[in-house]
Amino acid sequence: MSEARVASEGARASTETVLAPASGVRQFWRRLRVQRAALVAASVVALLVLLALAAPLLTAVEGQDPTTYHPDLVDSARGGVPVGTFGGLSADHWLGVEPQTGRDLFARLVYGARVSLGVALAATVVEVTVGLVMGIAAGLGNRWVDQALSRFTDVVVALPLMVMSLALLAIVPSGFPRPVLVAAVIGLIGWGSIAKIVRAQTLTLKQLDHVAAARLSGWGSWRIARRELLPALAAPVITYAALLFPVNITAEAALSFLGAGVKPPTPSWGQMLTSANVWYQAAPQYLLLPAGLLFVTVLALTVLGDGVRRALDPRAASRLSVGTGRKKEARA
């Protein structure tokens, strides 16, 4: 459902963008900075990325790590509930400890941000790369090539992401790096929608005079793609990638929640939610903290993606009614 919605929004935005492409980085920044909601979302995303990158430094300052067990900090008589108030909150454990294991919760959250954001970013890069290649090849190819690639893309789009991901992740040996595997599976199953968008854009662009002139002058298909098509495709592809990134974060969290994603002891927010679903009464912070971070991240990325879409195509109506700075943007 979410992929279909994102794909439709990306297709609508990309169709409008090819008719009125953004006029440079400075123009894009001028349109983006008048959108207060997008700027706040960008600040939140930047803070989360900074926390993820600085995870080793932050945990070193705290004096903890995400994998060390502290059995003395949990009450075994009560089933492993953290000792003390607010889940074992103390100067040594800034956000308390994990039930049963006593592992530091702050360390696992910041290291989990590295996994969740990294997997989503890698999956988005795979989807954009494969989608670009397949879409351009279909758009520039002859009728048979276009039909074959388009039918194959239709099959990929029809595949249920979660079901296929669960099946593929179940048959891969456990020794394979799990974050890399999850990113590859999500990316290789989710590229179909962006390929369809790129193909539609390519079919439109190759009818333009400068592209037709390049073809008549004897340029090869890939030289035309590199010199004439990719610059025009940048705006819709960036727009779609910005909308797709939060979807991939949710997919990684869902796979980890179902036990098919990142495996312990490597932390991820989805995996923490899997363990926390039986502790929401005894240790509510163990459930609320990763769930809250996941919610804030997806919300911020969605708002930022909407702002990027509007900055690249100012004629597109925003899905948000608050903080878009419409009057200021109209003057800009």
Side-chain angles (χ1 to χ4, degrees), residues 229-318:
L229 298 182
L230 286 180
L233 289 170
V237 168
I238 291 173
T239 299
Y240 187 80
L243 295 171
L244 194 62
F245 192 78
V247 175
N248 288 338
I249 287 185
T250 306
E252 183 279 327
L255 289 172
S256 296
F257 180 79
L258 294 173
V262 178
K263 298 293 185 182
T266 304
S268 85
W269 292 343
Q271 179 204 109
M272 294 176 71
L273 288 175
T274 303
S275 305
N277 61 1
V278 297
W279 295 100
Y280 64 92
Q281 289 183 331
Q285 82 287 347
Y286 186 40
L287 173 67
L288 295 177
L289 287 173
L293 282 173
L294 186 62
F295 173 77
V296 169
T297 303
V298 172
L299 178 62
L301 285 168
T302 302
V303 174
L304 180 59
D306 182 80
V308 170
R309 181 173 64 89
R310 293 199 69 213
L312 289 171
D313 183 11
R315 299 186 308 171
S318 175

Side-chain angles (χ1 to χ4, degrees), residues 157-172:
V157 171
L159 293 175
L161 174 63
M162 297 306 298
V163 175
M164 292 301 300
S165 298
L166 289 171
L168 292 175
L169 291 169
I171 63 176
V172 175

Side-chain angles (χ1 to χ4, degrees), residues 39-64:
L39 291 181
V40 172
S43 301
V44 173
V45 172
L47 178 60
L48 290 169
V49 171
L50 181 62
L51 287 174
L53 294 176
L57 177 62
L58 293 172
T59 53
V61 172
E62 188 192 23
Q64 304 296 332

Side-chain angles (χ1 to χ4, degrees), residues 61-171:
V61 172
E62 188 192 23
Q64 304 296 332
D65 64 76
T67 57
T68 300
Y69 283 54
H70 298 92
D72 55 311
L73 298 179
V74 295
D75 188 353
S76 58
R78 298 174 57 199
V81 176
V83 176
T85 57
F86 302 107
L89 185 70
S90 66
D92 294 327
H93 300 279
W94 296 347
L95 295 178
V97 297
E98 187 180 62
Q100 284 191 317
T101 65
R103 291 180 293 195
D104 185 75
L105 190 54
F106 173 78
R108 294 189 65 77
L109 284 172
V110 292
Y111 271 93
R114 302 184 102 192
V115 173
S116 296
L117 294 175
V119 168
L121 177 61
T124 303
V125 170
V126 172
E127 288 172 330
V128 169
T129 302
V130 177
L132 268 175
V133 172
M134 297 293 287
I136 291 176
L140 291 180
N142 58 37
R143 184 164 62 95
W144 299 108
V145 172
D146 185 21
Q147 286 294 319
L149 293 179
S150 296
R151 298 293 77 77
F152 179 65
T153 302
D154 290 339
V155 171
V156 173
V157 171
L159 293 175
L161 174 63
M162 297 306 298
V163 175
M164 292 301 300
S165 298
L166 289 171
L168 292 175
L169 291 169
I171 63 176

Side-chain angles (χ1 to χ4, degrees), residues 20-43:
S23 57
V25 176
R26 299 172 75 177
Q27 183 74 5
F28 167 79
W29 170 243
R30 185 161 61 248
R31 292 170 179 166
L32 183 64
R33 69 184 180 183
V34 298
Q35 302 181 56
R36 294 186 298 274
L39 291 181
V40 172
S43 301

Side-chain angles (χ1 to χ4, degrees), residues 14-22 132 135-136 138-140 196-215 221 224-237:
S14 62
T15 302
E16 295 169 347
T17 304
V18 76
L19 299 176
L132 268 175
I136 291 176
L140 291 180
K196 294 175 75 70
I197 292 172
V198 171
R199 173 187 174 272
Q201 292 282 69
T202 301
L203 291 175
T204 301
L205 290 169
K206 76 176 187 179
Q207 304 300 323
L208 300 180
D209 292 341
H210 63 93
V211 178
R215 294 172 67 91
S221 296
I224 293 174
R226 186 178 69 254
R227 299 285 297 275
E228 303 294 340
L229 298 182
L230 286 180
L233 289 170
V237 168

